Amino acid sequence: NAGVTQTPKFQVLKTGQSMTLQCAQDMNHEYMSWYRQDPGMGLRLIHYSVGAGITDQGEVPNGYNVSRSTTEDFPLRLLSAAPSQTSVYFCASSYGQGGTYEQYFGPGTRLTVT
Amino acid sequence: GESVGLHLPTLSVQEGDNSIINCAYSNSASDYFIWYKQESGKGPQFIIDIRSNMDKRQGQRVTVLLNKTVKHLSLQIAATQPGDSAVYFCAENIGGTSYGKLTFGQGTILTVHP
């Protein structure tokens, strides 16, 4: 299994540009989520999904959209990039079964908005 | 231990010592807690978890203690090794339909000196 994969690893955007961060998992996990991590901070939840076709907002959803058309993929879209969105973005997935909530994280995408 | 603010708490130990990392969580309704380890440039990696109906859980070289009375969580690492150097995060989950919707602490930097 490749686990959780994210592309790209690095990205530089200009203010106002849009882009999609890709996330895929091959573990047949129902639950997927997106977090952002700012310097010296813990992870903050942006959006999450409990299954294909179902998404919900996390703590910091503004400026981001998500969709979940398949179990495997959970892309994160930045609608109009702003410097405040400069961060490292992590995608995660978990079984969510049997009381197990362990989340498996991808390697991250480092985004800079100028 | 973790605290509110922009500067991460730090813990420096000698190789072979035992380490204790503390975390104060915020929500008395949280029913599930996880410790993650994050090495530089990587995504968080699961270490150990504990449910609110337990007060102690042991893994390989790690022990998590939960004190619900004072909403405190700790991670003990036995015989700390240089490879344990990383940032350690605690995370809490309220549970129910919000499973997997983790709230992360700020993190503690552990440095192990050979």
Side-chain angles (χ1 to χ4, degrees):
Chain A
N1 286 352
V4 180
T5 58
Q6 291 183 238
T7 56
K9 285 188 166 45
F10 301 93
Q11 182 70 49
V12 179
L13 291 178
K14 294 187 187 304
T15 297
Q17 287 185 316
S18 62
M19 80 159 294
T20 299
L21 307 185
Q22 301 292 343
C23 174
Q25 51 92 9
D26 61 359
M27 297 174 282
N28 202 32
H29 287 172
E30 288 296 317
Y31 180 89
M32 297 185 74
S33 55
W34 275 101
Y35 295 86
R36 60 176 288 173
Q37 184 175 34
D38 300 313
M41 303 281 286
L43 283 76
R44 291 184 292 168
L45 183 65
I46 304 172
H47 286 286
Y48 68 101
S49 168
V50 299
I54 306 169
T55 64
D56 204 349
Q57 296 181 348
E59 181 185 352
V60 288
N62 292 341
Y64 308 95
N65 270 358
V66 291
S67 60
R68 183 95 179 272
S69 56
T70 66
T71 299
E72 294 77 22
D73 300 297
F74 191 43
L76 177 72
R77 282 183 290 278
L78 278 70
L79 308 172
S80 177
S84 61
Q85 293 179 304
T86 294
S87 189
V88 181
Y89 291 83
F90 290 100
C91 178
S93 71
S94 70
Y95 288 110
Q97 297 174 1
T100 297
Y101 304 143
E102 175 186 346
Q103 294 197 44
Y104 296 80
F105 284 83
T109 294
R110 187 173 296 273
L111 176 68
T112 302
V113 183
T114 61
Chain B
E2 299 190 23
S3 61
V4 175
L6 294 178
H7 300 288
L8 290 183
T10 59
L11 176 65
S12 290
V13 301
Q14 290 296 127
E15 182 177 1
D17 287 351
N18 295 333
S19 303
I20 300 177
I21 300 171
N22 296 303
C23 175
Y25 64 93
S26 56
N27 196 320
S28 57
S30 294
D31 66 351
Y32 180 69
F33 305 88
I34 311 180
W35 280 99
Y36 282 94
K37 171 186 179 183
Q38 186 177 26
E39 297 174 275
S40 181
K42 296 184 179 179
Q45 178 185 3
F46 173 88
I47 302 173
I48 191 168
D49 58 0
I50 188 168
R51 300 210 165 276
S52 59
N53 60 354
M54 304 170 68
D55 53 21
K56 180 179 180 179
R57 191 165 189 219
Q58 289 185 290
Q60 188 177 14
R61 280 203 307 120
V62 294
T63 300
V64 56
L65 299 178
L66 175 62
N67 185 330
K68 294 181 287 293
T69 303
V70 295
K71 292 190 286 187
H72 184 267
L73 198 65
S74 69
L75 176 71
Q76 301 178 0
I77 305 174
T80 316
Q81 302 165 2
D84 295 327
S85 294
V87 180
Y88 289 80
F89 294 96
C90 67
E92 60 183 301
N93 182 80
I94 297 175
T97 57
S98 297
Y99 80 87
K101 196 172 179 180
L102 296 174
T103 300
F104 281 77
Q106 191 177 4
T108 296
I109 300 172
L110 173 66
T111 303
V112 183
H113 301 283

